[in-house]
């Protein structure tokens, strides 16, 4: 037998640590090893010929053991150290062999053997010992993923599918090389004889075995089947992922798509979400639910590559009529279904329907109803194509949990869609028409409600037709979102329309609106007062003078784009938002060139740029300059501007009003100054009559003479001079009489015996509209007449009617 250098056997056992002695039949030492000399503290010369019991125990308690014919094991003390020994008879001469070692070493060896035997006896943990070439030396027979009937000496390829075998080789090679153990590494280990079957998941731990000199001698591998634990962790992670992804969006289709995306590929290869038509519209869903629900619409789908075929229903497709069956009745009762491909085909009954519903390679499907708050919203279908087995009970419980959470998210989105649609509809009804074509301006308004879960707000614009061809341009933003903001916006717009009829200066209009906001705040509960407020810009453009006067209450400054495309901010003092109170507003006047575009916008437009306010304003101005094209329409101009700024769904509501200015030709306007003299009345009639003849409007002479006569007479009689008379020709004939008095004209019905008081009544009967406005000095009374037949609808006047003309 060859000797092993260092006296080390496999597994770290050092043979020189064992003391060996040969005893004769009387127990006297015949031969003595070096380790025995070290352990007993006696050299060979001192030990040979001496009875063993004298060394171990002076009392002679070892004599019987030493001389026994059978194997005896015992413990003793030598020189104050405990030892463990055994005596083995060696026939035929009656000799015995003594084997002894330190008690601690013996206990360590015993524990190691006991521990290893206990490991090998486990029936849930696989234990295997591999040599340095990773060939199996020994293994238990536990029914684990690594257990099998392979023979001793086999490598990994004999038991595992080659890709998994290669993974194990790399893993154990690192352990042998570095000595760093691997703990609970999750690894798929497919058997070599059935790689396409179920794929068990193993938890693998490995550590290196060293010999007595500390050199690598092999590796121990412990495994247990962690398939269920791994699946439970995946299911928990999927449930958490579903909770995070499904529901934050208040968009129904986005929520449905998030649900489909979450379920693939963990629970199936192809998932569809089908919702009732009313759900998509935000309406109350039907009580009954199933594949036969009227208007059931495919809303979302997700699938792995190669699953979809052209014939399948796509998002937006409405379900064709399907036959009634026991399964659809179960679905209508809110029960979850699991069906094989063959069962689904039998339910559909026709090849055409099968091609529209069953994906290629499908083996089974689970159909879960979407139920929330007592209503059926739709269904979720989870198809499997890569796994022959249908969903088990654990997977069905998981699917039910995810679908129930998603149903609440979908119902929240449905309810939000209903409320949002109502609010947007209300706001759209409160807003004026987007485009207006007037003598003063051509306008185009754009309103975009915020998205991303935000509710609609109180942004608005308005274009108000004023007398004498003028136009008021308004844009504003109410603080807050939702129906309260929309309602406040409606009240402000109504107030502005009323104030516009008074033809006040823009600064005065804002001052009165500021008072209105303060009254609204006083009517509001204390906890909501901070949410009452608004910003507003009010401008009046006069196409006869070519002049625009405006005042600003907290709005971004408007931008004026010249006919050549040069964009500049309007230098208007930015007053405080409405509702602050105590700070006066200031009107400024500018004279834009004809064809200029005055652009008013709310701060939602600035949010499109992702910059701070100052930089965003510059981007808006530059965007207007870049978007301008000669002869471009205002709609295209506005669309191009939004595209330049980043045409996306805004985070805040956006209101944009663009107005291209016009001027009335000088030939369509004439003005005279008359003295406060009774003779001026006849002169005024004569001047008006001559001008109507020059404009070829002789059909209006009679009514115009009446209007001019009455208004100039009243001005001369009650206001003094000078008296201004202006005629304007446009789509209507406008007659204006100005005087220095601030007395409010009133329309009254005179009694039969009254000598006066009929003048304004005659004016009202001759004109389509009439009114008055005040300037810095005096007032102006205006009338409008259609350019059509002046006799139409005109009452009989003169003595027969009892109405004096003076």
């Amino acid at each position: 037998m060859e000797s092993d250098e260092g006296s080390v056997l496999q597994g770290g056992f050092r043979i020189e640590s064992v003391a060996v002695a040969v005893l004769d039949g009387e127990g006297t030492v015949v031969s003595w090893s070096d380790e025995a000399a070290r352990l007993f503290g006696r050299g060979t010369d001192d030990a040979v010929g001496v009875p063993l019991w004298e060394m171990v125990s002076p009392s002679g308690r070892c004599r019987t053991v030493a001389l026994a014919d059978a194997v005896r094991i015992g413990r003793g003390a030598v020189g104050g150290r405990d030892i463990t020994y055994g005596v083995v008879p060696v026939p035929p001469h009656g000799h015995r062999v003594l084997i002894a070692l330190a008690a601690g070493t013996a206990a360590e060896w015993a524990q190691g053997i006991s521990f290893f035997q206990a490991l090998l006896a486990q029936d849930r943990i696989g234990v295997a010992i591999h040599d340095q070439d990773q060939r199996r030396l020994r293994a238990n027979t536990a029914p684990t993923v690594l257990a099998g009937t392979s023979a001793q000496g086999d490598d990994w390829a004999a038991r595992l599918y080659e890709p998994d075998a290669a993974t194990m080789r790399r893993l154990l090679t690192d352990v042998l090389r570095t000595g760093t153990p691997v703990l609970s590494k999750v690894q798929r280990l497919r058997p070599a004889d059935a790689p396409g079957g179920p794929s068990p998941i193993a938890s693998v731990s490995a550590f290196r075995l060293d010999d007595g000199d500390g050199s690598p001698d092999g590796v121990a591998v412990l495994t247990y089947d962690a398939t269920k634990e791994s699946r439970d962790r995946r299911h928990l992670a999927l449930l958490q992922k579903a909770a995070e992804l499904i529901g934050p969006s208040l968009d129904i289709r986005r929520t449905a798509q998030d649900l489909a995306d979450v379920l693939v590929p963990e629970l199936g290869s192809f998932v569809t979400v089908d919702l009732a038509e009313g759900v998509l519209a935000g309406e109350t869903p039907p009580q009954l639910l199933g594949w036969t629900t009227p208007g059931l619409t495919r809303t979302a789908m997700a699938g792995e590559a190669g699953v979809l075929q052209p014939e399948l229903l796509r998002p937006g497709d409405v379900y064709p009529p399907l036959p009634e069956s026991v399964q659809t009745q179960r679905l209508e009762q809110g029960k979850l279904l699991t069906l094989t491909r063959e069962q689904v085909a039998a339910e559909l009954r026709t090849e055409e329907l099968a091609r529209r519903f069953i994906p290629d390679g499908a083996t089974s499907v689970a159909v879960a109803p979407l139920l929330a708050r007592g209503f059926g919203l739709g269904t979720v279908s989870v198809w499997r194509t890569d796994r022959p087995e249908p969903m088990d009970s654990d997977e069905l419980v998981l699917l039910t949990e995810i679908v129930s959470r998603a149903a609440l998210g979908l119902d929240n989105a449905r309810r939000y869609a209903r409320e949002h649609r109502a609010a947007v509809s209300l706001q759209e009804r409160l807003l004026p028409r987007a485009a207006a074509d007037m003598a003063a301006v051509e306008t185009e308004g754009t309103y975009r409600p915020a998205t991303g879960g935000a509710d609609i707000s109180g942004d608005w614009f308005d274009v108000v037709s004023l007398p004498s061809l003028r136009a008021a341009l308004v844009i504003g933003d109410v603080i807050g979102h939702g129906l309260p903001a929309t309602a406040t916006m409606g009240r402000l717009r109504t107030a502005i329309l009323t104030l516009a009829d008074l033809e006040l200066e823009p600064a005065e209009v804002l001052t009165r609106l500021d008072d209105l906001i303060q009254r609204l705040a006083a009517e509001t509960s204390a906890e909501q007062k901070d949410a009452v407020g608004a910003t507003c810009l009010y401008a009046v453009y006069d196409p006869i003078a070519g002049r625009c006067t405006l005042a600003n209450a907290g709005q971004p400054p408007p931008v004026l784009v010249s006919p050549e495309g040069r964009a500049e901010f309007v230098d208007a003092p930015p007053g405080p938002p409405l509702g602050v109170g105590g700070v006066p507003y200031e009107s400024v006047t500018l004279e834009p060139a004809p064809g200029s575009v005055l652009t008013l916008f709310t701060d939602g437009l600035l949010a499109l740029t992702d910059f701070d306010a100052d930089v965003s304003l510059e981007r808006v101005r530059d965007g207007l300059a870049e978007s301008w094209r000669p002869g471009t329409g205002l709609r295209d101009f506005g669309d191009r501007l939004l595209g330049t700024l980043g045409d996306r769904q805004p985070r805040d509501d956006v209101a944009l009003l663009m107005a291209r200015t016009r001027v009335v030709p000088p030939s369509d306007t004439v003005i005279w100054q008359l003295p406060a003299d009774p003779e001026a009345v006849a002169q005024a009639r004569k001047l008006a009559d001559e001008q109507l003849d020059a404009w070829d409007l002789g059909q209006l002479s009679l009514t115009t003479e009446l209007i001019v006569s009455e208004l100039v007479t009243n001005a001369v009689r009650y206001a003094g001079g000078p008296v201004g008379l202006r005629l304007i020709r446009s789509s209507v004939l406008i007659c204006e009489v100005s005087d220095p008095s601030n007395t409010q004209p009133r329309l009254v019905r005179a009694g039969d015996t009254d000598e006066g008081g009929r003048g304004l009544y005659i004016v009202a009967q001759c004109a389509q509209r009439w009114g008055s406005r005040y300037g810095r000095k005096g007032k102006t009374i205006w009338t409008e007449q259609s350019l059509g037949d002046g006799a139409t609808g005109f009452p009989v006047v003169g003595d027969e009617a009892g109405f004096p003309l003076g």
Side-chain angles (χ1 to χ4, degrees):
M1 184 174 79
E2 296 181 1
S3 64
D4 186 8
E5 185 178 353
S7 302
V8 180
L9 297 181
Q10 188 176 20
F13 177 76
R14 302 186 69 87
I15 195 170
E16 67 268 21
S17 61
V18 179
V20 179
V22 180
L23 310 177
D24 60 13
E26 300 297 328
T28 302
V29 175
V30 176
S31 182
W32 196 249
S33 70
D34 293 341
E35 181 61 20
R38 186 192 65 78
L39 181 64
F40 284 83
R42 291 194 180 197
T44 302
D45 295 338
D46 295 332
V48 173
V50 178
L52 176 63
W53 60 84
E54 291 183 3
M55 302 182 203
V56 177
S57 172
S59 62
R61 284 177 294 174
C62 292
R63 174 187 291 273
T64 304
V65 174
L67 298 180
D69 293 334
V71 176
R72 289 288 186 268
I73 298 175
R75 293 174 61 88
V78 176
R81 291 182 300 172
D82 292 333
I83 65 171
T84 299
Y85 58 85
V87 178
V88 181
V90 182
H93 302 294
H95 287 178
R96 276 87 169 156
V97 174
L98 170 72
I99 301 175
L101 68 163
T105 302
E108 181 181 343
W109 289 3
Q111 291 168 359
I113 293 172
S114 176
F115 177 72
F116 185 63
Q117 289 176 341
L119 280 178
L120 293 179
Q122 295 298 313
D123 59 356
R124 297 183 60 187
I125 301 176
V127 181
I129 304 298
H130 297 257
D131 62 16
Q132 297 187 62
D133 296 327
Q134 299 190 28
R135 296 185 178 277
R136 186 160 66 170
L137 300 178
R138 189 173 182 182
N140 67 348
T141 57
T144 67
V145 291
L146 287 182
T149 58
S150 55
Q152 180 177 349
D154 285 345
D155 60 10
W156 293 110
R159 283 164 287 155
L160 297 180
Y161 180 48
E162 178 52 37
D164 297 343
T167 300
M168 289 299 298
R169 291 192 197 97
R170 290 191 297 270
L171 178 71
L172 298 188
T173 297
D174 289 340
V175 173
L176 285 166
R177 178 177 55 84
T178 65
T180 303
V182 171
L183 300 176
S184 302
K185 179 177 176 57
V186 177
Q187 175 66 40
R188 175 177 293 187
L189 300 178
R190 289 162 286 189
D193 53 353
S199 302
I201 302 297
S203 175
V204 179
S205 297
F207 55 90
R208 190 173 71 184
L209 301 176
D210 295 337
D211 61 17
D213 291 331
S215 299
D217 194 41
V219 62
V221 180
L222 282 72
T223 61
Y224 74 90
D225 191 345
T227 304
K228 187 177 186 306
E229 293 181 12
S230 177
R231 187 174 69 167
D232 290 344
R233 284 195 296 268
R234 293 198 313 272
H235 287 182
L236 183 61
L238 181 63
L239 196 60
Q240 181 178 359
K241 180 181 178 182
E244 293 173 354
L245 296 183
I246 302 173
S249 172
L250 289 175
D251 181 85
I252 296 176
R253 289 176 173 80
R254 179 68 263 170
T255 302
Q257 188 61 53
D258 290 340
L259 171 59
D261 292 338
V262 162
L263 297 178
V264 175
E266 181 62 39
L267 292 182
S269 305
F270 179 65
V271 175
T272 63
V273 180
D274 306 313
L275 300 178
E277 187 176 19
V279 174
L280 295 173
E283 300 171 355
T284 302
Q287 291 286 350
L288 294 179
L289 172 67
W291 284 329
T292 58
T293 299
L296 196 64
T297 303
R298 177 136 304 169
T299 308
M301 59 194 304
E304 297 178 330
V307 176
L308 302 179
Q309 67 254 28
E311 296 89 348
L312 283 176
L313 289 179
R314 300 286 172 164
D317 293 343
V318 179
Y319 265 45
L322 297 179
E324 285 278 4
S325 67
V326 175
Q327 299 296 351
T328 58
Q329 291 175 0
R330 292 185 60 201
L331 196 60
E332 290 173 355
Q333 296 169 1
K335 297 180 179 179
L336 188 146
L337 304 180
T338 55
L339 304 172
T340 64
R341 177 193 180 97
E342 292 73 20
Q343 289 174 320
V344 176
E347 294 287 332
L348 296 175
R349 300 180 187 175
T350 67
E351 280 287 337
E352 180 181 357
L353 288 177
R355 287 195 301 271
R356 303 210 66 188
F357 284 92
I358 303 177
D360 284 343
T363 58
S364 64
V365 65
V367 184
L370 287 161
L371 304 174
R373 301 181 176 96
F375 295 105
L377 309 179
T379 61
V380 178
S381 301
V382 182
W383 294 86
R384 286 190 165 179
T385 61
D386 57 341
R387 285 169 277 185
E389 72 281 359
M391 287 192 187
D392 58 26
S393 58
D394 290 342
E395 291 171 323
L396 292 176
V397 169
L398 175 64
L399 176 63
T400 302
E401 178 69 19
I402 294 176
V403 168
S404 63
R405 292 188 180 187
L408 288 176
L410 286 169
D411 194 52
N412 289 337
R414 177 193 66 82
R415 299 170 72 183
Y416 169 79
R418 181 187 60 194
E419 299 298 330
H420 188 268
R421 186 178 69 250
V424 171
S425 177
L426 173 61
Q427 188 168 34
E428 288 176 348
R429 289 178 180 272
L430 292 174
L431 289 175
R433 64 184 187 275
D437 192 356
M438 307 164 63
V441 289
E442 172 198 0
T443 64
E444 184 72 36
T446 300
Y447 171 74
R448 291 193 179 184
T451 55
D455 209 342
I456 61 107
S457 69
D459 291 33
W460 89 95
F461 59 85
D462 214 337
V463 181
V464 185
S465 176
L466 299 178
S468 303
L469 305 183
R470 295 171 306 137
L473 307 174
V474 189
I475 197 160
D477 183 2
V478 174
I479 293 175
H481 292 82
L483 288 176
T486 302
T488 302
M489 180 269 285
R491 300 175 75 174
L492 282 177
R493 182 168 181 253
T494 301
I496 289 173
L497 293 175
T498 303
L499 294 173
D501 285 341
L502 298 178
E503 301 190 64
L504 303 174
E505 284 287 319
E508 179 65 19
V509 171
L510 294 185
T511 299
R512 298 199 182 193
L513 289 176
D514 182 67
D515 293 339
L516 173 61
I517 288 292
Q518 293 184 61
R519 288 198 299 271
L520 293 178
E523 298 171 1
T524 307
S525 59
E527 60 271 13
Q528 296 180 351
K529 282 188 176 181
D530 292 340
V532 178
T535 59
C536 182
L537 189 146
Y538 185 87
V540 175
Y541 177 69
D542 185 348
I544 299 174
R547 185 179 300 117
C548 181
T549 303
L550 60 88
N552 189 359
Q555 274 290 312
V559 179
L560 184 65
V561 183
S562 70
E564 296 77 27
R566 185 176 61 258
E568 295 180 349
F569 289 113
V570 175
D571 187 12
L578 301 176
V580 174
V583 181
Y585 296 98
E586 182 180 350
S587 295
V588 297
T589 300
L590 60 148
E591 296 183 0
S596 300
V597 177
L598 184 64
T599 305
L600 314 178
F601 53 90
T602 58
D603 57 2
L605 189 67
L606 306 180
L608 294 177
T609 64
D610 288 332
F611 293 98
D612 59 43
D614 293 336
V615 177
S616 296
L617 282 172
E618 298 293 334
R619 288 289 303 275
V620 171
R621 183 193 63 185
D622 296 343
L624 283 166
E626 294 173 10
S627 304
W628 180 87
R629 301 288 187 278
T632 185
L634 290 181
R635 177 179 291 275
D636 293 338
F637 193 3
D639 291 343
R640 197 176 293 117
L641 169 65
L642 294 175
T644 301
L645 297 178
D647 192 5
R648 59 186 177 186
Q649 294 296 337
R651 299 190 301 270
D652 192 10
D653 286 28
V654 174
L656 172 66
L657 178 62
M658 309 183 83
R660 178 174 281 125
T661 61
R662 294 168 171 169
V663 293
V664 175
S667 60
D668 288 339
T669 304
V670 62
I671 186 171
W672 300 280
Q673 292 290 329
L674 303 173
D677 190 306
E679 295 181 357
V681 177
Q683 182 184 2
R685 286 199 299 264
K686 182 177 181 296
L687 291 172
D689 191 57
E690 291 175 350
Q691 186 62 48
L692 291 180
D693 288 340
W695 283 343
D696 196 21
L697 294 176
Q699 74 274 15
L700 298 178
S701 295
L702 180 58
T703 54
T704 304
E705 285 181 12
L706 286 171
I707 292 172
V708 170
S709 178
E710 293 296 335
L711 295 181
V712 173
T713 297
N714 287 339
V716 170
R717 180 178 297 172
Y718 301 113
V723 177
L725 173 62
R726 183 167 71 166
L727 298 180
I728 305 168
R729 180 181 62 174
S730 181
S731 58
V732 294
L733 176 65
I734 300 170
C735 177
E736 297 179 343
V737 175
S738 303
D739 62 57
S741 173
N742 290 323
T743 303
Q744 172 69 40
R746 292 186 300 162
L747 178 64
V748 297
R749 187 171 187 90
D752 293 341
T753 61
D754 291 343
E755 295 182 1
R758 298 175 178 85
L760 284 180
Y761 182 82
I762 294 174
V763 170
Q765 296 301 308
C766 293
Q768 286 182 314
R769 292 198 310 159
W770 77 278
S772 65
R773 64 176 177 271
Y774 294 90
R776 295 175 184 252
K777 295 181 181 180
K779 67 178 179 296
T780 298
I781 301 177
W782 54 269
T783 65
E784 290 182 2
Q785 299 177 77
S786 171
L787 297 185
D789 185 1
T792 303
F794 179 70
V796 177
V797 296
D799 292 339
E800 294 181 1
F803 295 140
L805 302 180

